[in-house]
Amino acid sequence: MSAFPLRGFGARVASAELFTCRQCLRQRNQMTRPFSSRTIPRTPSQKSPRVGSYLGALRKNFKAFTITRSASLSTATVAQQALEQGATATKSHFPDVSSKAVAYWLLGSAASVFGIVIFGGLTRLTESGLSITEWRPVTGSLPPMNNDDWEAEFAKYKNSPEYKILNPNMNLSEFKSIYYMEWIHRLWGRFVGLSFVIPAVYFVARRKVSKPMALRLAGISGLIGFQGVIGWWMVKSGLKDDLFAPGSHPRVSQYRLTAHLAAAFTCYVAMLWNGLAILRSHRLLKDPQAGTESLNALRNPKLAVFRRSVAGLALLVFTTAMSGGLVAGLDAGLIYNEFPYMGNGLTPPKAELFDEKYSRHSDRSDLWWRNMLENPSLVQLDHRALAMTTFSAVMALWAYSKSSSMKKLLPRSAQKGVHGVVAFTFVQVTLGISTLLYLVPTHLASTHQAGSLFLLTWVLVLGSRIWHPSRTAKLLQMAAKARGQPVAASTANAVNALKK
């Protein structure tokens, strides 16, 4: 505006002309001109040249100011409009991206599941899991409140195989210690369920989550409830003596124990992955242009091989952890407490690994798979083989990430993620060997179980940094269009970034 100063009569006329409607101006001109000229309309060419030039200058500057004002909108503002589009349109619609509060809540729930998995391992290691012989989801929330209640619970435990075979000399004080371990474990499970289901209902009702995320929350809620059923199904197997030979150590079914562990791991993975995905979407949408370039760079075909390798590694870590559940269920860690040998060789004799006594069919058709799942010697060998395979796969992935092509393509955050996976792998292998050599002490065995979750966690973190979220990519395209930028420009920038 300063380039076109208006002074005196010209300023007054220009301001009046600019802010007065055409009809009023026409009537005023008719009244101010001589009577003889009032009935003759003035053509545009007959306007005052001085006033016309000022008006043209004003319109030109106002148009330039409007364009500059629109272009100066920050990227964050446009991204925020894209994020809030679904929520502000109408309350009956789900937003395009879930709230950050949902992400933090999911990560907190994952931490709670992490804790209960470790505490559940301690419950098993201290032989406390069979101390409560009934499943009372509501009334069982309170422990015995007086001495009569304690005596009643102790009498129920005395009828279990574990008391008769393993703890016939246990007194009430000792019973209370193992009872409280199992009671805390069950109470923690109830807390995990309530602290997830109630906020999930709130977030869905308040439209704080996207529609796909609402369906995922419903699935996780159902899995948590099913996990409680599996837990009692597992405990129930240890309250009858048809699962173990007479006089042997009472235990729960290794199949049910592994199923219980697998459900817990699945809950943890679902919570962690979705929480990380929400935070990543917000981070990418904060700057749509940079986010589009980042995701386009991840679409390189060479990175697809690395991405599939990380997914395979996550599945391998999960499988190795589940084989550890079989080892725990069969107490297979208490035999062959040496490494790398197992007896006189790297493996036990073949006759021991495939013992016919584990077969239940006359034609021995179940000899292989029953020995793999029920023979402690072969179960421990399988766990060793899977653990060393996982270690080799991690080192191969690390070597691949150090190749010249991967160094150029992998984001800096992904390279750090690979280093974290390698570090946790070394720690986990060290813990596993130490647990074996020292005859499975409680603190080492529990730490080894926690190490498996830490390793799986870091593999998932690495996966979240190289995954290409298609839904977020579409939202980024929408945000780029809202700014008036062609998507092809972002693609060209990504290609140029890869060439540098």
Side-chain angles (χ1 to χ4, degrees):
M1 298 295 289
S2 61
F4 301 90
L6 301 177
R7 294 184 178 90
F9 173 78
R12 290 192 297 272
V13 172
S15 61
E17 291 281 342
L18 182 61
F19 298 103
T20 307
C21 66
R22 292 182 180 180
Q23 183 177 0
C24 295
L25 286 174
R26 193 178 296 111
Q27 293 177 358
R28 187 183 65 185
N29 291 335
Q30 291 287 341
M31 297 298 296
T32 56
R33 288 195 300 272
F35 180 80
S36 59
S37 62
R38 291 180 186 178
T39 58
I40 303 174
R42 175 179 287 185
T43 62
S45 60
Q46 293 176 310
K47 291 183 180 180
S48 174
R50 183 178 180 184
V51 174
S53 63
Y54 282 128
L55 287 175
L58 282 171
R59 293 191 182 98
K60 182 178 180 181
N61 279 270
F62 183 76
K63 183 178 181 180
F65 173 76
T66 304
I67 296 174
T68 305
R69 176 73 174 178
S70 301
S72 64
L73 288 175
S74 64
T75 306
T77 304
V78 177
Q80 186 66 24
Q81 291 174 354
L83 290 174
E84 296 176 354
Q85 182 180 5
T88 56
T90 172
K91 292 184 179 180
S92 63
H93 291 170
F94 289 95
D96 292 328
V97 180
S98 301
S99 170
K100 279 188 176 182
V102 178
Y104 297 136
W105 161 69
L106 282 171
L107 295 178
S109 298
S112 183
V113 173
F114 188 103
I116 195 174
V117 170
I118 305 308
F119 193 83
L122 286 173
T123 303
R124 188 198 60 79
L125 289 168
T126 56
E127 306 289 350
S128 304
L130 299 177
S131 58
I132 302 179
T133 59
E134 294 178 339
W135 188 42
R136 295 173 295 174
V138 179
T139 58
S141 301
L142 295 176
M145 306 303 294
N146 52 56
N147 190 62
D148 292 338
D149 293 341
W150 278 112
E151 289 291 349
E153 290 296 325
F154 193 25
K156 296 175 185 176
Y157 177 68
K158 289 180 179 180
N159 293 324
S160 67
E162 185 177 74
Y163 175 84
K164 295 176 181 179
I165 299 174
L166 188 64
N167 300 319
N169 299 319
M170 176 178 285
N171 56 38
L172 182 60
S173 178
E174 294 170 337
F175 170 72
K176 288 181 179 181
S177 63
I178 64 172
Y179 185 96
Y180 273 122
M181 285 287 293
E182 176 64 12
W183 176 76
I184 293 174
H185 180 61
R186 296 192 184 189
L187 190 66
W188 198 336
R190 293 179 177 92
F191 170 77
V192 169
L194 293 176
S195 64
F196 188 88
V197 173
I198 295 176
V201 172
Y202 170 79
F203 285 130
V204 172
R206 299 291 295 176
R207 299 299 189 264
K208 297 291 185 180
V209 298
S210 62
K211 190 173 182 178
M213 185 59 63
L215 298 176
R216 295 173 192 173
L217 296 183
I220 297 174
S221 300
L223 184 58
I224 292 175
F226 185 61
Q227 171 73 334
V229 176
I230 295 178
W232 170 245
W233 181 58
M234 176 193 68
V235 172
K236 190 177 179 180
S237 68
L239 299 177
K240 50 185 179 179
D241 55 4
D242 58 348
L243 291 177
F244 43 87
S248 64
H249 193 291
R251 58 178 177 83
V252 298
S253 168
Q254 75 273 18
Y255 298 113
R256 302 184 188 187
L257 174 64
T258 305
H260 188 54
L261 184 65
F265 268 57
T266 304
C267 281
Y268 174 77
V269 168
M271 294 173 182
L272 178 67
W273 181 264
N274 286 290
L276 293 175
I278 294 173
L279 292 179
R280 189 187 185 204
S281 296
H282 277 274
R283 186 167 58 252
L284 291 172
L285 288 167
K286 187 176 182 181
D287 189 344
Q289 183 176 359
T292 301
E293 294 175 3
S294 176
L295 291 187
N296 286 338
L298 292 178
R299 296 182 66 180
N300 190 292
K302 294 182 179 179
L303 278 179
V305 177
F306 188 87
R307 198 157 37 240
R308 287 193 292 267
S309 300
V310 174
L313 179 61
L315 182 61
L316 183 58
V317 172
F318 183 88
T319 304
T320 305
M322 294 307 103
S323 71
L326 291 174
V327 171
L330 293 170
D331 290 325
L334 298 175
I335 58 175
Y336 293 115
N337 299 101
E338 51 202 345
F339 188 85
Y341 295 100
M342 297 181 70
N344 297 326
L346 293 176
T347 65
K350 183 179 179 180
E352 180 182 344
L353 294 177
F354 298 99
D355 196 336
E356 293 185 357
K357 72 178 183 181
Y358 293 99
S359 177
R360 300 181 185 178
H361 295 167
S362 58
D363 59 354
R364 301 290 185 265
S365 59
D366 58 344
L367 179 67
W368 281 78
W369 70 267
R370 283 200 180 275
N371 274 275
M372 291 183 67
L373 300 176
E374 298 179 7
N375 186 344
S377 299
L378 187 53
V379 167
Q380 188 190 126
L381 178 61
D382 291 341
H383 186 61
R384 289 189 183 205
L386 285 170
M388 298 312 298
T389 302
T390 302
F391 178 81
S392 301
V394 169
M395 299 311 298
L397 185 69
W398 173 79
Y400 184 49
S401 69
K402 293 300 180 182
S403 62
S404 58
S405 59
M406 284 297 102
K407 280 185 176 181
K408 296 179 182 179
L409 296 178
L410 277 180
R412 180 63 178 169
S413 59
Q415 295 177 3
K416 292 180 179 179
V418 173
H419 295 158
V421 171
V422 172
F424 276 110
T425 301
F426 273 98
V427 172
Q428 180 67 349
V429 170
T430 303
L431 286 171
I433 296 174
S434 301
T435 302
L436 189 67
L437 296 178
Y438 287 96
L439 298 176
V440 196
T442 300
H443 63 285
L444 279 179
S446 180
T447 307
H448 182 52
Q449 185 180 23
S452 65
L453 263 182
F454 274 119
L455 178 57
L456 182 60
T457 299
W458 208 252
V459 173
L460 292 175
V461 170
L462 172 61
S464 70
R465 293 176 179 180
I466 61 171
W467 217 256
H468 185 274
S470 57
R471 192 169 185 274
T472 302
K474 293 179 181 179
L475 293 177
L476 286 172
Q477 292 178 1
M478 293 171 57
K481 291 180 180 178
R483 295 182 65 229
Q485 295 181 351
V487 180
S490 299
T491 306
N493 293 334
V495 173
N496 295 330
L498 290 176
K499 293 180 179 179
K500 293 181 180 179

